[in-house]
Amino acid sequence: MNIIRDPWLPDPENPIVTSSHPALLDKNVSVLMVPGELAWDGDLVRDLFNNRDSNLILSIPLSSSRVCDSWFWNLEKTGHFTVKSTYKYLQMNKEAGVNLHSSGVWKLIWKLRVPPKAKDLLWRATSDCLPTKTRLQSRHVPIQSNCPRCVDQPETPFHCLVDCPFAAQCWNWSGIMVNIQGYVSFAGWLEAVFDRVDSAIREQIAVTCCAIWKTRNDLAWSEKVSTAESVAVLAQVTLSNWSQAQDRSFIPIPAYLSAADGSDKWQKPAAALIKINVDAATFDSNGTYSFVCVARDASGNLVEAITCCRAGTVQPEMAEAMGVREALSWIKKKAWHGVVVESDCLSVIQAIQSNLPLLSYFGSVISDCKLLLEQIGDVSIYFIKRSANSVAHSFARASYFVADHTLSSNDVSTDLLHVIMNDCN
């Protein structure tokens, strides 16, 4: 990686180095590391780069398990490209003039309790990007613009979903009064209708529009003719089936987790075992972050705790991942066996448990964790809720004052000892 030319800094807004020291010309990133070690040369980095660049560089973790550099998608912590992250990025950077109407109608659309495809249809029709014949013609598709149903008018989103005689019959069958005069655009019509009806009617409007559009496509592509009554029935069945599927009493287990994960109260480990709880904290005011590992025995007593503070600004899940890596290195160094490691960072535990290769800086730390788990063996790692991680959380908040220390029960403040005692009750 070239220091000046390549986009290698962990900053989504600008991953390019902004410093311009002559010594950086035509140099690769490897010259900024301590020779023979997996560590940044902190003094060299601070001498050659401005504060912004040096903080970003020092926040990049160096991985012992990564054999070569690779490009990754910076908008996802996994490093893999996703349409979702691209859409989110484009929405955040959309020009102000693109939104034709007030934000109120957009909020109403996205809050609807209807199938996602129905909300997507309303969004596309309101944004005038629904692939009607007039829209396709504007994109230089060689077709006639006539509505495939009435054949009399150009097919626009408003005509297809509202103004076409067939659409009017569908609305009559649905029992929804949508006859608002004076509108020629779907966006204006929808905003006016939504202002007059409650949330239940809005949901029916959404699924009815979706059903009208589906049967329109059936006609255009398969020459399947539908009746207005069948459209109304399709809308009702779609909404009913989807609503029944949203059973809040069913709580699925997140991907890659087991029934042993997700505890909401700290439990003592079995006899002769050690449990290590991990947590992290970021201190944006001075550009540092820390992570802690707290080891306790079967009686709940503190065996030892370590706190580590690092320079740089990182995302919380990165700090959490580095904490888990530090815990596993600690276990290997101590030659402990039968250790349980717990963290309240779901994304870290899911990443460790999954087989998905991660290309990002976050993925480098996860790769180190997986390698350490293979080397150590006899270590279990689980996700727990924040309420079950109160001791590590308290240590992490206090680590700003006791960074890079190994603590025994004699070194811990009275307040932290009180938290440990409460956790065992």
Side-chain angles (χ1 to χ4, degrees):
M1 294 293 171
N2 184 275
I3 295 176
I4 299 297
R5 294 192 302 269
D6 289 329
W8 60 283
L9 296 184
D11 182 0
E13 300 297 329
N14 180 21
I16 299 293
V17 166
T18 59
S19 306
S20 57
H21 198 286
L24 302 176
L25 296 177
D26 297 322
K27 294 294 192 300
N28 289 338
V29 175
S30 57
V31 303
L32 305 178
M33 302 174 190
V34 178
E37 298 182 22
L38 278 173
W40 296 109
D41 188 333
D43 294 335
L44 177 65
V45 169
R46 292 187 181 92
D47 287 342
L48 297 179
F49 297 88
N50 57 38
N51 289 336
R52 177 260 183 188
D53 291 347
S54 60
N55 285 335
L56 288 173
I57 293 170
L58 295 176
S59 70
I60 298 175
L62 299 179
S63 172
S64 58
S65 60
R66 184 62 61 86
V67 295
C68 62
D69 292 329
S70 63
W71 293 104
F72 67 89
W73 184 246
N74 199 35
L75 300 181
E76 284 283 3
K77 63 177 179 289
T78 63
H80 294 280
F81 171 81
T82 63
V83 174
K84 178 181 177 181
S85 62
T86 308
Y87 172 77
K88 182 178 179 180
Y89 174 79
L90 293 174
Q91 287 297 103
M92 292 176 62
N93 291 274
K94 185 184 291 184
E95 295 181 0
V98 172
N99 290 325
L100 302 178
H101 301 272
S102 65
S103 60
V105 70
W106 297 113
K107 291 180 180 179
L108 292 176
I109 290 175
W110 298 121
K111 287 182 178 180
L112 290 173
R113 294 177 56 81
V114 297
K117 65 180 181 180
K119 290 188 282 189
D120 177 71
L121 176 82
L122 292 185
W123 169 76
R124 288 193 292 162
T126 305
S127 302
D128 196 25
C129 60
L130 197 66
T132 57
K133 288 193 173 183
T134 54
R135 185 60 175 168
L136 292 174
Q137 197 176 61
S138 71
R139 304 300 294 176
H140 309 294
V141 178
I143 60 172
Q144 297 295 321
S145 63
N146 294 36
C147 171
R149 282 193 167 116
C150 68
V151 193
D152 293 331
Q153 299 293 327
E155 188 192 38
T156 64
F158 179 70
H159 176 82
C160 175
L161 301 175
V162 181
D163 198 40
C164 178
F166 178 80
Q169 293 177 27
C170 295
W171 292 113
N172 287 335
W173 270 103
S174 68
I176 304 173
M177 301 299 295
V178 296
N179 296 323
I180 297 179
Q181 304 298 322
Y183 290 96
V184 295
S185 73
F186 182 82
W189 172 85
L190 185 68
E191 191 168 9
V193 172
F194 271 18
D195 285 343
R196 293 175 48 177
V197 299
D198 58 20
S199 58
I201 301 300
R202 291 172 190 150
E203 292 168 2
Q204 294 181 41
I205 290 173
V207 293
T208 301
C209 287
C210 191
I212 293 173
W213 180 249
K214 180 185 182 302
T215 55
R216 177 268 183 197
N217 288 336
D218 289 341
L219 176 63
W221 297 105
S222 304
E223 298 183 354
K224 180 181 178 181
V225 179
S226 304
T227 64
E229 182 181 6
S230 67
V231 171
V233 171
L234 174 62
Q236 293 175 2
V237 171
T238 299
L239 182 58
S240 176
N241 290 344
W242 186 86
S243 298
Q244 291 177 8
Q246 310 309 303
D247 184 1
R248 291 186 177 275
S249 64
F250 173 69
I251 304 176
I253 297 175
Y256 306 115
L257 297 187
S258 66
D261 292 283
S263 175
D264 56 6
K265 189 178 187 302
W266 190 82
Q267 303 290 335
K268 297 176 183 178
L273 297 186
I274 292 176
K275 177 176 285 189
I276 297 178
N277 287 80
V278 181
D279 203 6
T282 57
F283 306 102
D284 295 335
S285 58
N286 64 347
T288 61
Y289 63 97
S290 66
F291 43 86
V292 301
C293 309
V294 182
R296 285 178 281 178
D297 59 21
S299 300
N301 297 321
L302 179 67
V303 177
E304 203 168 80
I306 55 174
T307 66
C308 304
C309 190
R310 300 286 183 267
T313 303
V314 300
Q315 294 297 315
E317 62 265 18
M318 174 65 84
E320 296 277 2
M322 295 182 71
V324 173
R325 183 177 67 176
E326 186 67 24
L328 296 174
S329 298
W330 190 30
I331 294 169
K332 182 179 180 181
K333 179 180 178 182
K334 290 284 190 177
W336 284 334
H337 297 283
V339 182
V340 176
V341 178
E342 295 181 336
S343 168
D344 60 14
C345 186
L346 178 61
S347 60
V348 170
I349 303 304
Q350 286 180 315
I352 292 175
Q353 302 290 9
S354 75
N355 295 321
L356 179 68
L358 307 180
L359 305 177
S360 60
Y361 293 133
F362 173 78
S364 297
V365 180
I366 296 299
S367 297
D368 288 346
C369 292
K370 292 181 178 181
L371 181 61
L372 285 166
L373 283 170
E374 292 177 1
Q375 295 172 349
I376 301 170
D378 199 20
V379 175
S380 303
I381 184 165
Y382 297 109
F383 163 72
I384 56 173
K385 296 180 181 179
R386 172 61 63 84
S387 57
N389 207 34
S390 58
V391 170
H393 181 69
S394 298
F395 270 79
R397 302 318 306 177
S399 62
Y400 182 83
F401 305 102
V402 289
D404 290 341
H405 277 69
T406 300
L407 306 173
S408 65
S409 57
N410 296 328
D411 303 318
V412 177
S413 67
T414 304
D415 291 339
L416 291 177
L417 286 175
H418 183 68
V419 176
I420 294 174
M421 292 176 61
N422 286 341
D423 223 12
C424 296
N425 294 332

